[in-house]
């Protein structure tokens, strides 16, 4: 019975992590595709894209708003405990209600964003499929007999709404995270004792 060498089957080259230079080259390639992708999504459904952008901005700012109201609740509880006044307790209850409202708004905006994203995906898929059909009408019969050209058209049709919208949503997500980080950083700087 022969022993199997542990390195007899090395992993394929495609599964190995690329070098930093290769990753940066891939990132540059992706960033070069960003303007065209955003333009494609915008032309497919301008109103839907505006809705997605607005909801993304709302979702980016709500965490800082919720954190600020939470800070006001803590301050209000401390004040109400010290003063014992009914007005201070009522103020705390109002702030709790406001925070619940903000959290409900966050959940509703998240669900609405998911809906608008699916509608945008459908609109984008239709727009790209129309472009593919228009391109197909301009081709000659010999192009359809070419397996490579036919495969490219089929791949484009299958990925019509998935890849461009995925890239656009990643751009929106990066923007959302950047705005959230900036808002929370500003909030921390405002309540920091070193900012006084």
């Amino acid at each position: 019975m022969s022993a199997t060498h542990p390195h007899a089957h090395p992993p394929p080259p495609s599964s190995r992590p690329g070098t930093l230079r290769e990753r940066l080259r891939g990132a540059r390639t992706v960033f070069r595709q960003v303007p065209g992708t955003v333009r494609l999504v915008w032309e497919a459904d301008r109103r839907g894209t505006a809705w997605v952008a607005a909801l993304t901005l709302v979702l980016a700012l709500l965490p800082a708003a919720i954190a600020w109201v939470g800070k006001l609740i803590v301050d209000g509880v401390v004040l109400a405990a010290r003063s014992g006044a009914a007005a201070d307790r009522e103020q705390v209850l109002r702030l709790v209600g406001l925070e619940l409202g903000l959290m409900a708004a966050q959940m509703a905006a998240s669900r609405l964003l998911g809906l608008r994203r699916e509608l945008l995906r459908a609109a984008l898929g239709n727009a790209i499929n129309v472009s593919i059909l228009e391109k197909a009408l301009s081709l000659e019969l010999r192009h359809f007999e070419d397996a490579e050209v036919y495969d490219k058209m089929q791949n484009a049709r299958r990925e019509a709404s998935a890849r461009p919208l995925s890239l656009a949503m990643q751009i929106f997500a990066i923007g959302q995270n950047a705005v959230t980080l900036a808002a929370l950083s500003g909030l921390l700087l405002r309540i920091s004792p070193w900012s006084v």
Side-chain angles (χ1 to χ4, degrees), residues 58-143:
V58 169
L59 287 170
L61 294 174
L62 277 174
I66 292 172
W68 177 252
V69 174
K71 183 253 185 198
L72 295 179
I73 290 173
V74 172
D75 292 344
V77 168
V78 172
L79 178 62
R82 288 177 179 172
S83 67
D88 292 335
R89 291 195 297 271
E90 291 174 1
Q91 177 65 16
V92 170
L93 291 177
R94 282 193 292 270
L95 289 172
V96 170
L98 176 59
E99 186 164 30
L100 287 175
L102 289 174
M103 295 177 74
Q106 186 179 37
M107 184 179 299
S110 179
R111 296 295 177 89
L112 186 56
L113 177 61
L115 174 62
R116 296 304 312 189
R117 187 186 296 126
E118 291 304 315
L119 293 174
L120 186 57
R121 184 189 308 277
L124 180 60
N126 289 336
I128 295 178
N129 281 322
V130 167
S131 298
I132 293 172
L133 290 175
E134 291 174 351
K135 180 65 177 178
L137 290 174
S138 67
L139 297 177
E140 299 177 1
L141 181 60
R142 60 184 176 85
H143 292 110

